[in-house]
Amino acid sequence: MKPIDLMYQTMLAELGQRSLDAAWSADFPSDGRFTPVTVKQRRYWYFDQPDGEGGRTRRYVGPASDPEIAKRVEEFKAQKDDLRARRRMVSTLTREGGMVAPDRLSGDVIEALASGGLFRLRGMLIGTVAFQTYAGILSVRLPGHSIMTGDADIAQDFAISHEVNDSMPPILELLQSVDPTFRPVPHRSGQAATSSFQNKDGYKVEFLTSNRGSDDHMDQPVKMPALGGASADPLRFLDFLMRDPVRTVVLHKSGIPVTVPDPSRYAVHKLIVASRRHNDGPSALKRDKDVRQAGILFEALLQTRRSSDLAIAYNEAWERGDAWRTGIRTGAAMLSDDDREHLGVCLRTGAVEIGEDITLPF
């Protein structure tokens, strides 16, 4: 597994900070522009922005003589310059640095959800779109066959969604701003609520939340007030994945600041998820992908001297009870011989580093 050069690691860290700063400070969207208009011999500023249908919408900003407005216009020009610089950084990181960019649609979907406040409201990416970011987080090049996806999985904690007293704009409107063919997917329970959306090509955006209660709730969509009208499917073991998230940047356009699971937790969680999938059809394909991604991360964590991180996450899952141990054992049995070796060495090394006993899953 080839490491990523320190120069590119440093560039990614700078891009992440600058993207985060831009997300906090942007009063006007970066896809628009300030336009001076003269009315009755007086000059005014307006802001033009694409309407998504080939045209533009225009809103009044104020007189050009107002020094505060003039300052905003100058700051916006500086933001535009920074936007171009960040786009060049993204291009360098993906073309030369060995880091991973999402496919165009996934990137546009994440950008729309981010602009709607998803990560501000403590939502997070999970699944393969999150896995793609681990090249930058772990500073290793990921094999291409493990990073392809046709969907985007989003998670938010149930309590957070009910307690923040804030909400994103309607999710369907955000997704249709990217692709007008996005539609709600009828929930398998027959309820009117929806937890996923799909476009005409089959690309799916799914919302999930943790289930720490009875399995009776597993097939029932949960209302999530912060998710702009979307519900979420409760999943067992998801609370483990969502704990101690990591901030990073998705390498799309000028960089999108996002939140993803800790890679050690992701790897352990993938073993458990793989153990619960069926052995035929699309479920079997997802199972194989889960196991492969877990194996890649075990190798990467060992190579980058993060064995203690994996040992801590593994022991937490192992100590949660018999169902967790069975899932870990079953998932670990699906690993290739090399991946099992990486897991075993990583856990044994991590156990020494953290001073704890560890029971291997095989």
Side-chain angles (χ1 to χ4, degrees), residues 237 267-279 287-288 290-292 294 298 314 318 321-336 340 343 359-362:
F237 311 108
V268 175
H269 184 261
K270 281 299 179 184
L271 291 184
I272 299 171
V273 170
S275 75
R276 299 171 71 86
R277 295 198 190 277
H278 299 299
N279 294 324
R287 180 200 60 200
D288 294 343
D290 291 337
V291 172
R292 183 59 184 139
F298 295 143
Y314 176 90
W318 189 264
D322 290 340
W324 291 72
R325 294 172 187 172
T326 298
I328 292 171
R329 287 195 184 101
T330 304
M334 300 177 191
L335 293 168
S336 69
R340 274 198 299 272
L343 173 58
T359 302
L360 297 181
F362 35 72

Side-chain angles (χ1 to χ4, degrees), residues 89-107:
M89 293 170 74
V90 168
S91 178
T92 299
L93 289 169
T94 54
R95 294 184 181 183
E96 301 174 17
M99 297 185 192
V100 183
D103 64 89
R104 191 75 179 183
L105 179 57
S106 294

Side-chain angles (χ1 to χ4, degrees), residues 121 160-167 225-226:
L121 297 174
I160 289 172
S161 194
H162 283 257
E163 292 171 3
V164 294
N165 197 30
D166 195 357
S167 179

Side-chain angles (χ1 to χ4, degrees), residues 136-185:
I137 292 173
L138 299 176
S139 300
V140 293
R141 296 173 184 253
L142 300 176
H145 60 80
S146 66
I147 58 180
M148 304 305 293
T149 186
D151 54 25
D153 294 330
I154 312 296
Q156 187 188 49
D157 182 78
F158 174 82
I160 289 172
S161 194
H162 283 257
E163 292 171 3
V164 294
N165 197 30
D166 195 357
S167 179
M168 299 173 64
I171 291 293
L172 182 57
E173 292 182 11
L174 290 174
L175 295 177
Q176 288 181 338
S177 72
V178 174
D179 182 347
T181 69
F182 269 109
R183 294 290 184 270
V185 176

Side-chain angles (χ1 to χ4, degrees), residues 102 104-116 118-119 125 129-130 132 152 154 175 178 203 250 252 256-258:
R104 191 75 179 183
L105 179 57
S106 294
D108 288 345
V109 164
I110 295 165
E111 181 183 42
L113 295 175
S115 67
L118 174 66
F119 303 106
L125 296 177
V129 179
Q132 293 171 348
I154 312 296
L175 295 177
V178 174
Y203 187 96
V250 166
H252 179 70
I256 309 168
V258 299

Side-chain angles (χ1 to χ4, degrees), residues 35-339:
T35 303
V37 177
T38 300
V39 180
K40 294 182 179 180
Q41 299 182 338
R42 295 193 64 182
R43 202 161 179 255
Y44 298 91
W45 284 109
Y46 286 77
F47 190 75
D48 290 343
Q49 189 176 355
D51 62 7
E53 299 178 356
R56 287 185 174 270
T57 59
R58 171 168 289 183
R59 59 189 173 102
Y60 173 76
V61 178
S65 58
D66 187 323
E68 287 298 319
I69 293 175
K71 180 181 177 182
R72 283 181 176 269
V73 173
E74 288 302 315
E75 289 175 347
F76 184 79
K77 291 178 180 177
Q79 290 172 12
K80 280 284 193 179
D81 290 340
D82 183 65
L83 179 73
R84 296 186 187 97
R86 285 187 281 121
R87 282 181 180 268
R88 289 193 293 270
M89 293 170 74
V90 168
S91 178
T92 299
L93 289 169
T94 54
R95 294 184 181 183
E96 301 174 17
M99 297 185 192
V100 183
D103 64 89
R104 191 75 179 183
L105 179 57
S106 294
D108 288 345
V109 164
I110 295 165
E111 181 183 42
L113 295 175
S115 67
L118 174 66
F119 303 106
R120 177 177 60 83
L121 297 174
R122 297 172 65 183
M124 63 191 302
L125 296 177
I126 59 175
T128 298
V129 179
F131 179 81
Q132 293 171 348
T133 69
Y134 293 148
I137 292 173
L138 299 176
S139 300
V140 293
R141 296 173 184 253
L142 300 176
H145 60 80
S146 66
I147 58 180
M148 304 305 293
T149 186
D151 54 25
D153 294 330
I154 312 296
Q156 187 188 49
D157 182 78
F158 174 82
I160 289 172
S161 194
H162 283 257
E163 292 171 3
V164 294
N165 197 30
D166 195 357
S167 179
M168 299 173 64
I171 291 293
L172 182 57
E173 292 182 11
L174 290 174
L175 295 177
Q176 288 181 338
S177 72
V178 174
D179 182 347
T181 69
F182 269 109
R183 294 290 184 270
V185 176
H187 198 272
R188 59 185 177 275
S189 67
Q191 295 191 29
T194 185
S195 58
S196 62
F197 303 81
Q198 190 168 325
N199 73 356
K200 64 179 178 58
D201 297 319
Y203 187 96
K204 182 178 287 189
V205 180
E206 189 168 7
F207 293 89
L208 306 165
T209 192
S210 56
N211 178 31
R212 303 184 69 176
S214 168
D215 283 344
D216 294 341
H217 304 296
M218 293 295 286
D219 290 324
Q220 303 299 318
V222 176
K223 292 183 178 180
M224 304 289 282
L227 291 183
S231 296
D233 280 337
L235 292 184
R236 182 74 70 189
F237 311 108
L238 195 62
D239 64 297
F240 170 82
L241 180 67
M242 296 173 65
R243 186 175 176 182
D244 300 328
V246 177
R247 283 191 180 276
T248 188
V249 58
V250 166
L251 297 177
H252 179 70
K253 294 184 179 177
S254 58
I256 309 168
V258 299
T259 306
V260 299
D262 172 86
S264 296
R265 290 181 177 273
Y266 187 100
V268 175
H269 184 261
K270 281 299 179 184
L271 291 184
I272 299 171
V273 170
S275 75
R276 299 171 71 86
R277 295 198 190 277
H278 299 299
N279 294 324
D280 54 1
S283 186
L285 295 175
K286 290 182 177 180
R287 180 200 60 200
D288 294 343
K289 190 174 186 179
D290 291 337
V291 172
R292 183 59 184 139
Q293 287 184 355
I296 289 168
L297 289 178
F298 295 143
E299 180 181 358
L301 291 164
L302 179 62
Q303 180 174 314
T304 56
R305 299 180 181 275
R306 297 171 185 252
S307 298
S308 60
D309 294 345
L310 180 63
I312 291 170
Y314 176 90
N315 262 2
E316 179 187 327
W318 189 264
E319 292 167 2
R320 288 197 178 197
D322 290 340
W324 291 72
R325 294 172 187 172
T326 298
I328 292 171
R329 287 195 184 101
T330 304
M334 300 177 191
L335 293 168
S336 69
D337 291 343
D338 286 344
D339 289 340

